[in-house]
Every structure is written in C-alpha cells, then in structure tokens.
Amino acid sequence: MLNILAHLTMSQSFGFIIKEKKDVIEIPFEIHNNFIVVQVIINKSLPLKFIFDTGAEHTILSKNIIASALRLSYDRPIKIIGSDLNKEIVAFVSTNVHIRVGDAVAPTQDILILKDDYFKIDEYVGQEIHGIIGADLFRNLVLKIDYRKNIISVQQSRDFKKPRGKWKEVPVTIEKYKPYIVANAHYNDKISKIKLLIDSGASLSLLLHTNTSEDLELPESLIKGSVGKGLGGILEGFLGRLNRLEFGDFYFNNIVANYQDISESVKLESVSKRNGILGGVLMSRFDIIIDYPKEKLYLLPHRKYNKKFKYDKSGLELIISGTQLKTILVYNVLDNSPAYEAGIRKDDQIMSVNYAHYNLLNLKGVNRKLTRKVGKKIRIKVKRKGEILVFKFKLRELI
C-alpha cells in the first residue's frame, strides 16, 4: 500500500490537461500481483513503469538515480510518512515536470523524488517499478477504471453524465484528493460503521486499523505475517477473516482481512479519521467511476463480484529477487503451516512447483497453485545454499 502523508503542501500540481470538450482520454494498464501498472514518460524521455494509486496524494519518482537522465532538477527537501504511518522518509520537490501517461498529458507538474529507494516494490510486483501516479494528476477530473478492458479513462466533470444500466451510486467523500466510503463491518455478532480509503495501490482486499475504534476487534482465528508492501518496507500485522462487509447495495461474506495498528504518534485527523483501506483485490471486482469535483462514486459489479475470497493455504510468503527479477524467494514461512512443517525456510529459492519450473509459472502462477483446494498435494523443489531439496505437503485452510 502506497499512501503517504506529506508535511508540506506542494505549491502547484496542475494535473492532466483536457483541452477539447467531451474528450475522454484513455490510459491502458496492466495488472501485476493486484497492482495497476501504467507506462509513464517523463520529460519526453524514458518510458517508465508506475503504479496507479488512488490512495496516494502526490506523484512520486522512487528511483532518484534516473532523475538526472530525465533532466529533473529539485531543491527543497520535505519529510513524508511511509505506508506504515510511522517511518519518516525524505523526498525532494521537482517542479515543471512534463508527464505523459497513455494519451493523458500533464505539462507542468510537481512531483516528489525520494532521496533513497525506500519503495523497493519490484519484488512484490514482479517487474521494475519506478514510482507512483498519485491523485494530484486526476483530482479535478472524472476517473474511470475498467478492470475488464484494462483501461483507465479521464474526462472533465462538466461533460460527464451519470452512467445508466447496472451502475450503482455509492456515497463517497473526497478528502485531500482521496476517496473514502463508509461501510458496515460484521464480526462477533456486532456491526460497526467503518471509514475506508479506496486505495488502488494496496494489493489486498481489506485492511483494518484495529486501534482506531473501540468497536473493532480481532477475529478469533488469526495468523501473523506481512500485510503489504509500501514506502518504508514490508508491513507486518495479522491476517484473518471478517464475517461480512457491506457498502451501498453490495456485500461480501467471509472476506480476507488484514489487521494492523496505527502508530500512537499519528493523529487520526491526518489520515481523515479512517479505520482502514479498501484495496485493489476487492476493487478489481468492479468497474469504478469517481467524479472528484462532484464527490460521486459509481460501481458496476462484475459477474459473481462477491465470490469466495481465496487465500494462500501453504504458509509461504514469496517475493521476486535478482537483477532481472527472475528469482522467486521465500520471504517468510508462517509457523505451524504446511510449508513450515514440511521443512521449507526463509530465503529458500523456489525451483519448481508440482514439476512446473518457476520460469513457466512466475510469481503469480506459483501463488495461484498455493491457493487451490484443501488437501491438494504440493511438491516444491528449492535451492538452499547450493543444495537442491524437495518438500511435499498438503494445502489446508490457515484462516
């Protein structure tokens, strides 16, 4: 998850410019490990890969090593808070940057350039990522994310007409250019109203900040592990299931949820008193329209939008590594899980799963095999300190 808090308001951020009336500008995207990835051209130079993030206020270049190649100048430093809402990170402001994303152009944009690459999201996405496209580029427009055609489109709010058919309007507020909804969370025979940030840059279904409300409680069945990746590193917390989540006319049962406390040093007002995040895994079950100026949200549910939420049944947390991002490594093995009991350990390199080589599977393919039905037999070949080892186990429910 990539949302940040900046201690300093940037002076100008004009965003995408739409010159002609009724123009709808399209931006193609790819989905990698539940992240929306778009091609970005900065200062009419190198094509780069950025994550499209409705939960980030500013556009960020995370690899400052390429700033000089892009002819970017920057001066004043600012401090921002990382995705864990705790760690301070230094960034620099670069002004009058020309940005092109698909057919959308922002000719004079302010962006942030990180002093160091705190991001390192490449190992989660499976390809090199250079930054984040934030809401400062589209906050004055109508944004549509079509998850079935892999197209983002933007247009002027004054030319936008309310969609017809099966589209449903859901109440939303826009605060600091970020969209929030209010949902009902059902757990332990209780119903709690929670405020959620709609965050396309979070590769999860739901994250709840358990210490933001007395009504929020941890479920009885929990496992400890990483809940996401963002500025500042891998975020640790707990994973479990929420009995039911409702917003608008939509509902989800037995949803996979991540649980994490917000640091006591963070004032809830600075994160709009939110209780959590609605992430890209759940968002991708809809086509989405956000009219930022008019504060309107429309959702078009996909077929079986509320189908069962699957989760890993092995206990393995995997990342991509290596100079060419071709190596699949075990980042963590959950205690008392099938993979741990079989003998797989942190830093083991995955060579094959059920006789399929990792080059043919990639990270997404490996993870898909590890979410199959309970009782499925798994055979994993790993490399550990130059030695080839084979482990066998059966998948089982962990949460």
Side-chain angles (χ1 to χ4, degrees):
M1 66 208 62
L2 317 172
N3 48 297
I4 62 169
L5 306 173
H7 294 315
L8 180 65
T9 301
M10 294 163 68
S11 58
Q12 67 176 36
S13 286
F14 294 116
F16 292 135
I17 302 298
I18 300 178
K19 296 181 180 179
E20 301 295 331
K21 287 185 177 181
K22 297 184 180 180
D23 261 4
V24 178
I25 297 176
E26 294 188 343
I27 301 169
F29 67 84
E30 299 175 350
I31 293 287
H32 294 279
N33 205 16
N34 299 310
F35 291 103
I36 294 177
V37 179
V38 296
Q39 180 173 282
V40 177
I41 297 177
I42 293 181
N43 282 355
K44 303 178 182 180
S45 185
L46 301 173
L48 304 172
K49 296 287 188 179
F50 278 51
I51 289 175
F52 194 91
D53 190 354
T54 60
E57 184 176 345
H58 302 295
T59 294
I60 300 171
L61 177 66
S62 61
K63 300 183 186 298
N64 67 5
I65 192 171
I66 62 176
S68 58
L70 297 172
R71 302 186 298 279
L72 297 179
S73 59
Y74 50 88
D75 44 28
R76 69 187 191 278
I78 65 172
K79 290 183 179 180
I80 59 179
I81 301 297
S83 299
D84 61 354
L85 303 180
N86 185 24
K87 184 177 181 179
E88 284 194 343
I89 294 169
V90 177
F92 299 94
V93 178
S94 183
T95 60
N96 295 315
V97 179
H98 187 282
I99 297 177
R100 184 181 187 94
V101 189
D103 293 329
V105 176
T108 54
Q109 189 70 17
D110 289 357
I111 68 170
L112 297 179
I113 302 174
L114 297 187
K115 180 181 179 182
D116 298 302
D117 187 6
Y118 305 94
F119 202 17
K120 295 181 180 177
I121 196 71
D122 309 21
E123 59 191 19
Y124 259 54
V125 180
Q127 63 175 259
E128 188 172 13
I129 298 295
H130 305 94
I132 303 164
I133 290 292
D136 53 355
L137 282 169
F138 48 83
R139 70 190 188 196
N140 296 318
L141 302 169
V142 176
L143 169 72
K144 179 180 179 182
I145 305 176
D146 189 327
Y147 277 97
R148 288 178 285 198
K149 295 181 180 179
N150 283 17
I151 293 289
I152 295 166
S153 58
V154 291
Q155 68 179 109
Q156 293 182 2
S157 179
R158 67 188 181 192
D159 299 322
F160 172 73
K161 295 182 179 179
K162 180 178 178 179
R164 298 178 179 180
K166 296 182 179 180
W167 286 90
K168 298 290 185 180
E169 183 174 347
V170 176
V172 68
T173 58
I174 306 296
E175 303 171 39
K176 296 182 179 178
Y177 319 125
K178 302 175 186 179
Y180 294 85
I181 63 170
V182 174
N184 288 326
H186 295 243
Y187 56 93
N188 299 337
D189 298 323
K190 297 180 181 178
I191 301 177
S192 175
K193 284 193 176 299
I194 55 176
K195 183 178 181 180
L196 301 174
L197 169 66
I198 300 177
D199 188 356
S200 64
S203 181
L204 46 79
S205 293
L206 178 68
L207 171 66
L208 295 177
H209 301 306
T210 47
N211 61 340
T212 59
S213 170
E214 293 181 356
D215 292 335
L216 289 176
E217 298 178 3
L218 292 172
E220 294 181 2
S221 178
L222 279 176
I223 56 175
K224 187 176 182 179
S226 62
V227 300
K229 172 75 173 179
L231 290 174
I234 292 176
L235 310 179
E236 301 294 339
F238 295 92
L239 297 99
R241 289 186 182 267
L242 183 69
N243 294 348
R244 186 179 175 95
L245 183 73
E246 300 170 340
F247 53 84
D249 293 334
F250 307 107
Y251 67 91
F252 306 87
N253 292 324
N254 206 27
I255 183 173
V256 173
N258 300 265
Y259 298 87
Q260 183 193 41
D261 283 353
I262 285 183
S263 171
E264 294 181 358
S265 63
V266 174
K267 295 181 179 180
L268 281 181
E269 289 78 8
S270 64
V271 289
S272 298
K273 296 183 178 180
R274 77 180 188 219
N275 303 113
I277 288 171
L278 194 70
V281 175
L282 192 146
M283 289 175 61
S284 65
R285 298 180 175 212
F286 299 88
D287 289 346
I288 298 169
I289 296 176
I290 306 174
D291 186 336
Y292 282 84
K294 295 178 182 175
E295 294 193 75
K296 298 288 186 179
L297 170 67
Y298 304 96
L299 299 178
L300 177 63
H302 297 171
R303 185 172 177 266
K304 297 182 179 180
Y305 78 91
N306 56 0
K307 64 184 178 182
K308 182 180 179 180
F309 287 84
K310 295 182 179 180
Y311 187 72
D312 166 73
K313 299 180 179 71
S314 70
L316 292 175
E317 297 179 10
L318 305 175
I319 59 173
I320 289 285
S321 185
T323 54
Q324 296 183 341
L325 295 174
K326 297 291 186 181
T327 302
I328 301 178
L329 289 180
V330 176
Y331 165 72
N332 185 37
V333 190
L334 301 178
D335 291 343
N336 304 314
S337 66
Y340 186 88
E341 292 165 357
I344 299 177
R345 295 295 180 263
K346 178 179 171 62
D347 296 327
D348 283 350
Q349 179 182 343
I350 303 296
M351 304 303 294
S352 69
V353 180
N354 286 359
Y355 301 97
H357 194 270
Y358 71 91
N359 277 341
L360 299 175
L361 291 173
N362 64 41
L363 183 60
K364 181 179 179 180
V366 172
N367 284 328
R368 186 185 296 117
K369 285 184 175 291
L370 300 179
T371 60
R372 291 186 174 174
K373 64 181 182 180
V374 171
K376 174 70 176 178
K377 295 180 180 179
I378 300 294
R379 178 188 185 275
I380 292 186
K381 181 188 293 186
V382 308
K383 181 187 289 186
R384 180 186 298 169
K385 297 180 180 179
E387 184 180 2
I388 300 297
L389 303 171
V390 175
F391 300 98
K392 298 178 182 179
F393 56 85
K394 293 181 180 179
L395 299 181
R396 69 170 182 260
E397 294 287 359
L398 302 178
I399 55 175

